[in-house]
Amino acid sequence: MCYNSYMTKTNELKFFDIDDTLLHTTALIGVVKNKKLVKRLTNAEFNTYKLNEDESFDFSEFRCSRKFAEESKPITRVINIFKRDLNSGADVRLLTAREDFDCKTTFLNGLRKFGIDTTRIHVHRSGNLMIKATTAEKKAVWVRRYLDNKNNNYNSVTLYDDSLENLRVFKLLEREYPEVKFNAFFVTDRKIIKI
């Protein structure tokens, strides 16, 4: 990661979810039953939806980089926090439940139009993890990877997310890493709430 000379790197690790945390996005998740689409869920509905035994999710809209780049709207207060943290020298990452986009360049251009310097961040797509786990558990895998890396010396880790379940599982990591301070922020339509 490259830093300007006026910045010093801190021991802070900060993760920001993308959908309905950093940006309002329009992709919907399909619910498929007997090979037929039976309903479509918003990101908020997906966060609490429990699949029936004979159902599966269809994330095809979430892979469409053009839809992301053309239709996403900024959540200004969170983008401002993101930029502030990045400029403070914190190690800032995007952590999404999404899998890879169909076009990385189009996706990154979608972020750049909101002033996000994509040369200074990495996007972790927990949907790419081929493990049987919930979205929250997959996101926790990425947090562990950073905290377990002996080259890192983080004294605090923060997650901004619109899913209370993702934040709950994140906070459970405090038991594994008692020397690290965990900060969880729930992003809603109207405010940011520290958990």
Side-chain angles (χ1 to χ4, degrees):
M1 186 178 283
C2 179
Y3 294 94
N4 292 332
S5 58
Y6 64 87
M7 288 188 281
T8 56
K9 188 170 180 180
T10 69
N11 290 331
E12 298 174 287
L13 176 61
K14 302 203 176 189
F15 290 103
F16 289 78
D17 176 48
I18 297 175
D19 296 287
D20 294 334
T21 299
L22 197 64
L23 303 169
H24 286 296
T25 56
T26 59
L28 298 175
I29 302 102
V31 177
V32 177
K33 181 176 180 176
N34 299 324
K35 298 183 181 181
K36 291 185 180 179
L37 183 68
V38 293
K39 62 179 84 166
R40 294 167 48 133
L41 307 172
T42 65
N43 192 57
E45 292 167 334
F46 170 73
N47 285 338
T48 57
Y49 189 83
K50 302 293 183 208
L51 280 175
N52 292 321
E53 213 171 280
D54 57 349
E55 294 178 334
S56 62
F57 289 125
D58 171 9
F59 294 102
S60 55
E61 284 192 21
F62 274 81
R63 292 184 196 96
C64 182
S65 56
R66 185 174 177 190
K67 182 175 188 61
F68 176 85
E70 292 178 359
E71 297 177 11
S72 295
K73 304 288 183 227
I75 300 176
T76 306
R77 65 191 183 281
V78 182
I79 286 182
N80 289 341
I81 293 168
F82 178 88
K83 290 177 182 177
R84 179 203 68 202
D85 289 347
L86 189 59
N87 289 329
S88 75
D91 192 355
V92 178
R93 307 292 177 174
L94 293 179
L95 180 59
T96 179
R98 290 179 184 246
E99 297 175 9
D100 289 337
F101 281 89
D102 56 8
C103 179
K104 179 180 178 180
T105 302
T106 303
F107 162 65
L108 292 176
N109 286 339
L111 292 174
R112 287 184 192 112
K113 78 178 184 181
F114 301 115
I116 295 172
D117 184 352
T118 59
T119 65
R120 295 175 56 201
I121 59 166
H122 189 82
V123 181
H124 295 293
R125 295 162 309 283
S126 61
N128 286 343
L129 294 174
M130 294 299 127
I131 58 173
K132 190 164 178 66
T134 66
T135 297
E137 291 164 343
K138 287 181 178 183
K139 286 189 171 190
V141 166
W142 281 109
V143 176
R144 280 191 191 94
R145 286 183 181 180
Y146 277 89
L147 295 179
D148 289 343
N149 184 332
K150 300 303 178 200
N151 294 324
N152 298 326
N153 188 26
Y154 299 114
N155 55 28
S156 75
V157 61
T158 301
L159 174 63
Y160 288 86
D161 206 303
D162 67 309
S163 165
L164 285 171
E165 178 62 10
N166 292 349
L167 294 165
R168 185 189 70 75
V169 171
F170 169 78
K171 288 289 281 181
L172 290 174
L173 293 173
E174 286 178 310
R175 298 173 188 167
E176 296 175 45
Y177 305 94
E179 71 286 356
V180 178
K181 181 178 179 184
F182 283 75
N183 303 297
F185 291 92
F186 178 53
V187 179
T188 69
D189 281 335
R190 304 195 192 291
K191 52 190 156 183
I192 301 169
I193 304 166
K194 187 168 185 178
I195 303 295

